[in-house]
């Protein structure tokens, strides 16, 4: 692995289903983030983690949960997907809790 | 209400000319700013940053200007190249350890 990876690349999901988006980084970055990108709204922060074992809520956390059991992995879970969660999801990481963030390639999620 | 605004959804520029992308913010506590570039189907990549102690930062063809009193920053690309065609996001942070707020993005098209 080089950098930050996300899986799956894309997913079509029925409303009400549970889904976990995976994110892994090998840069030993302390901080990790989940954003969603929607047309006209840019990137909005869902949840973040400044270090392993801690998480925080971003601008649009409702309907999402995260965990940070170790430095490398930061999965995002939709417990019961709704159509308004159709979006492109980006995971990012940074060395500290500030400064340049490195982004993954994104996961395109469609909830029907 | 968006704290970071990019009021031009799109911009077209002729190859070789200057591209100027604008960003306005409302939160006077913001003191660190980043520009990201995003190609289709890829994650955003960091381009250039500026902190509030400076009013200009230059990196090759890219220069960012900050006008704190006007709460305005701009990204200049000179000369513009077709490979610069992408969506550009402005992001602002209120300091170390604070999360970034992203603007909605401006789609730049550089015409050959």
């Amino acid at each position: 692995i080089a950098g930050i990876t996300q899986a799956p690349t894309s997913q079509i999901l029925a409303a009400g289903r549970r889904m976990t988006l995976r994110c892994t980084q090998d840069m030993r970055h302390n901080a990790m983030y989940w954003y969603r990108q929607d047309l006209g709204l840019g990137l909005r922060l869902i949840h973040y983690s400044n270090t392993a074992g801690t998480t925080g809520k971003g601008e649009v956390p409702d309907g999402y949960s995260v965990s940070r059991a170790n430095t490398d992995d930061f999965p995002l879970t939709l417990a019961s997907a709704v159509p308004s969660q159709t979006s492109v999801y980006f995971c990012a990481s940074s060395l500290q809790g500030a400064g340049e963030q490195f982004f993954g390639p994104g996961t395109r999620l469609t909830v029907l | 209400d968006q704290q970071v605004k990019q009021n031009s959804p799109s911009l077209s520029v002729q190859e070789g000319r200057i591209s100027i992308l604008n960003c306005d913010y409302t939160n006077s506590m913001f003191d660190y700013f980043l520009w990201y570039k995003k190609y289709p189907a890829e994650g955003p990549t960091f381009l250039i940053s500026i902190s509030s102690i400076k009013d200009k930062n230059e990196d090759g063809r890219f220069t960012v200007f900050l006008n704190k009193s006007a709460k305005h920053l701009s990204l200049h690309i000179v000369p513009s190249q077709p490979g610069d065609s992408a969506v550009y996001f402005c992001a602002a942070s209120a300091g170390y350890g604070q999360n970034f707020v992203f603007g909605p993005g401006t789609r730049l098209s550089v015409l050959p």
Side-chain angles (χ1 to χ4, degrees):
Chain A
I1 297 176
I4 185 164
T5 59
Q6 294 183 235
T9 302
S10 64
Q11 182 75 44
I12 299 174
L13 189 66
R17 298 297 295 269
R18 180 184 179 89
M19 176 74 191
T20 295
L21 308 185
R22 300 184 298 279
C23 175
T24 299
Q25 53 101 1
D26 65 353
M27 298 175 283
R28 308 305 293 172
H29 283 174
N30 291 320
M32 296 187 75
Y33 314 85
W34 274 105
Y35 293 90
R36 59 178 288 173
Q37 183 195 5
D38 301 289
L39 192 64
L41 298 175
L43 295 159
R44 293 182 293 168
L45 183 64
I46 304 171
H47 285 287
Y48 64 94
S49 168
N50 285 331
T51 189
T54 69
T55 62
K57 293 182 179 180
E59 180 185 355
V60 288
D62 293 344
Y64 306 95
S65 63
V66 292
S67 60
R68 188 86 184 279
N70 57 61
T71 297
D72 298 347
D73 301 298
F74 191 44
L76 175 74
T77 298
L78 289 69
S80 178
V82 295
S84 62
Q85 292 178 310
T86 293
S87 187
V88 181
Y89 291 85
F90 289 101
C91 180
S93 69
S94 66
L95 185 58
Q96 305 293 342
E100 177 189 350
Q101 295 179 12
F102 295 82
F103 283 80
T107 293
R108 182 174 294 275
L109 181 67
T110 302
V111 183
L112 302 176
Chain B
D1 188 31
Q2 287 186 332
Q3 296 186 73
V4 178
K5 303 177 184 182
Q6 294 176 257
N7 291 322
S8 297
S10 63
L11 174 69
S12 291
V13 172
Q14 209 67 38
E15 181 179 5
R17 305 295 292 269
I18 184 171
S19 295
I20 300 176
L21 295 98
N22 293 305
C23 177
D24 297 285
Y25 59 96
T26 57
N27 189 341
S28 58
M29 299 300 291
F30 287 151
D31 64 359
Y32 188 57
F33 305 88
L34 307 176
W35 282 95
Y36 283 86
K37 174 179 176 178
K38 184 185 178 305
Y39 292 119
E42 294 183 10
T45 55
F46 170 75
L47 197 54
I48 194 168
S49 66
I50 190 166
S51 74
S52 59
I53 62 173
K54 303 173 88 172
D55 55 17
K56 176 183 173 181
N57 189 24
E58 191 172 353
D59 184 1
R61 295 185 298 113
F62 302 91
T63 303
V64 56
F65 295 92
L66 175 63
N67 182 333
K68 293 184 286 293
S69 61
K71 297 192 184 68
H72 175 83
L73 62 157
S74 60
L75 174 68
H76 293 212
I77 307 173
V78 183
S80 301
Q81 301 173 352
D84 296 329
S85 297
V87 176
Y88 289 79
F89 292 101
C90 169
S93 162
Y96 186 86
Q98 299 300 308
N99 293 318
F100 282 92
V101 178
F102 284 78
T106 295
R107 180 178 301 279
L108 173 65
S109 299
V110 180
L111 309 173

